Amino acid sequence: LLPIVLMVGDFAFSSSFHIQSSISNYYSTPMRNILVGVLFVLGFFLLSYKGYEPIDNISGTLGFFFALGVALFPCTHSLAVVRTIHFLSAALLFIVFAIFSLFLFTKTNKPVKSVGKKQRNLVFIICGLVIIAVLLIIALIFILLPKEQIASSTLIFWLESIALWAFGVSWLVKGRFLS
């Protein structure tokens, strides 16, 4: 729900009906503390994730550091190195989300997969592929479009939102909140 909370909260607290060009740009709005807080909570959830093998814990730990990188190095900072760390952390965090969905959540410790596990795996794979597709589209946008056009549109915000929602669905299915 992060993108909606940021958008609605900014509408309420700033009386501006302007959607930011990216989720990270909400750092420069009254919603900064919510954005940073959610990234920290997300990071700690990833850090606490325990899977079947060490790679699961390594992925969660990397996700933790990347989430903190997004939170602590704002994309609107005046120093280019800070912005670079932010963007690398964000891209790597989304890659970790895709790895969780495609490779970690699809694992099982049982020799035969149940029908339910096969159905859940299909959800995980679709969610992971959506995340990868979004990352590729965002990369193409940054390659093909002028910075001014990107900054004046909400396309990145909505693409990031789709990737976050895909990971959210994957996480909720893995935790059996959604079956």
Side-chain angles (χ1 to χ4, degrees):
L1 296 175
L2 178 63
I4 293 171
V5 168
L6 294 173
M7 186 174 52
V8 171
D10 190 43
F11 290 165
F13 291 115
S14 70
S15 301
S16 167
F17 294 103
H18 172 74
I19 298 172
Q20 298 296 316
S21 60
S22 76
I23 291 172
S24 295
N25 281 359
Y26 280 94
Y27 188 89
S28 299
T29 72
M31 299 307 293
R32 174 183 54 234
N33 293 343
I34 301 296
L35 173 63
V36 170
V38 167
L39 285 165
F40 267 77
V41 169
L42 171 66
F44 281 102
F45 272 118
L46 291 170
L47 185 63
S48 68
Y49 178 76
K50 302 298 176 213
Y52 297 108
E53 298 173 11
I55 190 66
D56 300 338
N57 300 331
I58 292 168
S59 298
T61 301
L62 288 172
F64 165 77
F65 285 112
F66 298 145
L68 266 54
V70 174
L72 297 174
F73 296 91
C75 69
T76 56
H77 199 278
S78 59
L79 293 175
V81 67
V82 173
R83 293 190 308 270
T84 300
I85 292 170
H86 173 86
F87 290 120
L88 283 174
S89 295
L92 291 169
L93 180 59
F94 279 118
I95 290 169
V96 166
F97 291 165
I99 289 169
F100 266 98
S101 295
L102 291 170
F103 303 111
L104 304 182
F105 290 169
T106 57
K107 290 182 189 178
T108 185
N109 60 358
K110 297 180 181 170
V112 178
K113 293 180 187 172
S114 68
V115 172
K117 177 61 177 165
K118 289 178 183 176
Q119 291 171 339
R120 288 189 302 277
N121 280 358
L122 179 61
V123 171
F124 300 144
I125 291 167
I126 290 169
C127 289
L129 292 175
V130 165
I131 295 167
I132 289 172
V134 164
L135 285 175
L136 292 173
I137 293 167
I138 289 173
L140 284 173
I141 288 169
F142 277 104
I143 291 168
L144 299 175
L145 296 180
K147 287 181 183 179
E148 300 78 26
Q149 189 175 356
I150 297 168
S152 66
S153 85
T154 60
L155 187 56
I156 301 297
F157 172 86
W158 292 113
L159 288 168
E160 291 171 332
S161 297
I162 290 167
L164 282 177
W165 292 330
F167 181 67
V169 166
S170 189
W171 186 277
L172 291 172
V173 169
K174 177 63 178 173
R176 304 257 180 127
F177 183 79
L178 297 175
S179 296

